[in-house]
Amino acid sequence: MRTVRWILAGVFSAICYTQVVAQIVPKLLSDNKVEFTVKAPEAQKVQVDLCGTKYDMIKGADGIWKVTSNSQVPGFHYYSLIIDGVSVADPASPSFYGCGRWSSAIDVPEAGMDDFEVQAVPHGQVRIMHYYSEVDKAWRPLMVYTPAGYDEGKQKYPVVYIQHGGGEDHHGWMEQGRTAQIMDNLIAAGKAVPMIVVSANSNVRARNGGFGGGYSWQGMQNFRSELIDNVIPFVEKNFRVKKDRKSRAMCGLSMGGGQSFYIGLRSPEVFANVGVFSTGMFGGIAGAANIDLEKEVPGMLSDTKTFNRQLDVLFVSCGEQDPRISYTRDIVKKMRDGGVEVKFNSYPGDHEWQVWRKSLHEFAQYLFKK
């Protein structure tokens, strides 16, 4: 087992999660407005790009630029500084990999979501590993959450393989998604069984160049091979895990939701639990339309009894302000009308991390209890 380094779950508190320690900017104000401050005395123009909204900063006599945003909804918001036309990360904020680049972020807490924060409960660990990929022909990263007590015990655990979205990587669920905090709190409260959560980088290079992907069964083949032939064997060799299908789950957000739909539902010999969060494959994004469920997952509607028997949990979710929501509801209705046993929930929010944190929080409570 090759361990690069260890990260204790819950290193950051809510107040400094998106700030550099000892810095006071960016500052979240009481009305959920955000105050940004940048020292750039020689700059001619400075802006903050907060989730696509650009704010012009005002320069003071001391060369310090300031601006206060509009009130922000709870959740995780990427932002960048634009200094004389160049978009850069804010040195006063940690960087998070999202939107296809390392970006800054501000995390606005939501009342009642204490399970997303570090609590006085036993904490698990997040380990950064490297495994050799026969698909990429290279060493690739992996982040693995193990529950509290893993190193001291001998028991075997079920596993969730959790997938990030487009423009993100394996860091997303463990950092932006607060996976360790969510799992620590649920397990400590007895709401979820102790489980291991594995976050792989699904940006796998296609053999003909570029990256494999796309919302189709064929487009998923490179990552399917990566996951089933490389990642799962590595995890099962190096961790104490249960190796039967009922002890494995696959879930993901957006692009990862599409991967979970295709790979999870078409590989019942591998996974008995599948979660699909905010996928665009049902519609709501350019080039996507309502799909033919039977064509994409043979047997879902033509042999529904077998399909249901093979799955312990099928869970679908989406944000209520996400352009994908109406299409997702339509697909869930088609599933249910066809007799498919599917759980569904929606949460306030657009295509963003607060929705996905809530999706994992709910999905985890259904798992491995049959």
Side-chain angles (χ1 to χ4, degrees):
M1 179 170 66
R2 178 175 169 137
T3 304
V4 178
R5 62 187 175 95
W6 300 70
I7 303 175
L8 290 178
V11 172
F12 299 110
S13 68
I15 192 170
C16 72
Y17 182 70
T18 50
Q19 294 173 315
V20 174
V21 176
Q23 296 288 342
I24 60 171
V25 291
K27 182 186 295 183
L28 180 63
L29 306 179
S30 58
D31 55 1
N32 283 353
K33 294 181 179 179
V34 184
E35 180 182 274
F36 296 92
T37 303
V38 179
K39 186 175 182 180
E42 297 182 7
Q44 300 302 306
K45 182 177 182 179
V46 181
Q47 296 175 299
V48 174
D49 183 347
L50 179 59
C51 299
T53 300
K54 293 183 174 64
Y55 297 89
D56 292 326
M57 304 188 77
I58 305 300
K59 184 179 183 180
D62 54 2
I64 295 178
W65 300 72
K66 291 186 177 181
V67 72
T68 299
S69 75
N70 297 330
S71 293
Q72 301 296 305
V73 299
F76 189 90
H77 306 280
Y78 291 110
Y79 77 92
S80 298
L81 303 177
I82 305 175
I83 302 178
D84 290 340
V86 179
S87 180
V88 297
D90 184 352
S93 171
S95 291
F96 301 86
Y97 191 77
C99 309
R101 55 171 284 184
W102 288 96
S103 300
S104 304
I106 187 76
D107 206 343
V108 179
E110 180 178 353
M113 293 293 103
D114 292 344
D115 277 352
F116 298 171
E117 310 297 338
V118 179
Q119 303 291 335
V121 301
H123 294 159
Q125 295 177 323
V126 176
R127 313 168 190 231
I128 298 182
M129 318 288 292
H130 279 79
Y131 69 96
Y132 189 78
S133 166
E134 292 294 343
V135 175
D136 255 5
K137 300 297 181 184
W139 289 93
R140 307 193 81 240
L142 199 67
M143 298 183 78
V144 182
Y145 165 82
T146 53
Y150 174 84
D151 286 327
E152 294 76 25
K154 295 182 179 180
Q155 74 180 90
K156 294 184 178 181
Y157 297 86
V159 187
V160 178
Y161 294 88
I162 194 165
Q163 309 312 135
H164 58 81
E168 298 170 344
D169 66 8
H170 55 289
H171 294 90
W173 272 109
M174 298 299 173
E175 296 178 1
Q176 294 97 303
R178 306 280 191 96
T179 291
Q181 291 90 328
I182 290 170
M183 296 311 307
D184 285 347
N185 293 325
L186 287 178
I187 292 169
K191 296 179 180 179
V193 303
M195 64 187 78
I196 287 173
V197 184
V198 177
S199 179
N201 185 342
S202 62
N203 298 309
V204 180
R205 291 191 178 275
R207 291 182 176 87
N208 59 351
F211 288 90
Y215 284 137
S216 69
W217 174 239
Q218 285 303 118
M220 300 294 172
Q221 293 310 299
N222 279 345
F223 183 63
R224 183 181 187 277
S225 177
E226 181 75 0
L227 179 63
I228 294 177
D229 300 333
N230 291 273
V231 174
I232 292 177
F234 175 85
V235 170
E236 293 186 346
K237 178 181 179 181
N238 291 288
F239 290 88
R240 296 194 316 276
V241 300
K242 298 178 180 178
K243 300 179 181 181
D244 61 288
R245 56 180 295 275
K246 294 178 73 67
S247 299
R248 297 193 199 101
M250 183 178 182
C251 67
L253 68 93
S254 195
M255 179 183 78
Q259 292 168 335
S260 299
F261 178 89
Y262 277 111
I263 299 171
L265 296 183
R266 293 185 64 155
S267 306
E269 74 284 1
V270 180
F271 302 102
N273 307 274
V274 177
V276 179
F277 315 152
S278 304
T279 180
M281 63 179 294
F282 302 147
I285 61 174
N290 287 351
I291 64 172
D292 183 332
L293 289 171
E294 179 63 24
K295 177 182 176 182
E296 302 304 331
V297 183
M300 178 185 283
L301 300 180
S302 62
D303 189 4
T304 308
K305 184 176 180 180
T306 299
F307 178 85
N308 288 336
R309 187 174 63 247
Q310 291 174 332
L311 282 174
D312 289 341
V313 178
L314 172 56
F315 175 67
V316 177
S317 68
C318 193
E320 291 168 1
Q321 284 71 50
D322 193 321
R324 300 155 181 78
I325 184 62
S326 61
Y327 299 92
T328 302
R329 286 193 172 116
D330 287 346
I331 285 293
V332 170
K333 184 177 185 301
K334 288 180 181 179
M335 290 181 181
R336 287 175 171 170
D337 288 348
V340 174
E341 296 173 2
V342 54
K343 300 178 185 294
F344 171 74
N345 205 353
S346 62
Y347 316 95
D350 201 330
H351 200 65
E352 48 87 18
W353 274 106
Q354 199 73 347
V355 168
W356 303 327
R357 292 167 178 170
K358 291 177 182 179
S359 298
L360 173 61
H361 185 267
E362 182 170 350
F363 183 58
Q365 295 181 65
Y366 298 136
L367 294 176
F368 313 126
K369 294 183 176 180
K370 290 188 177 182

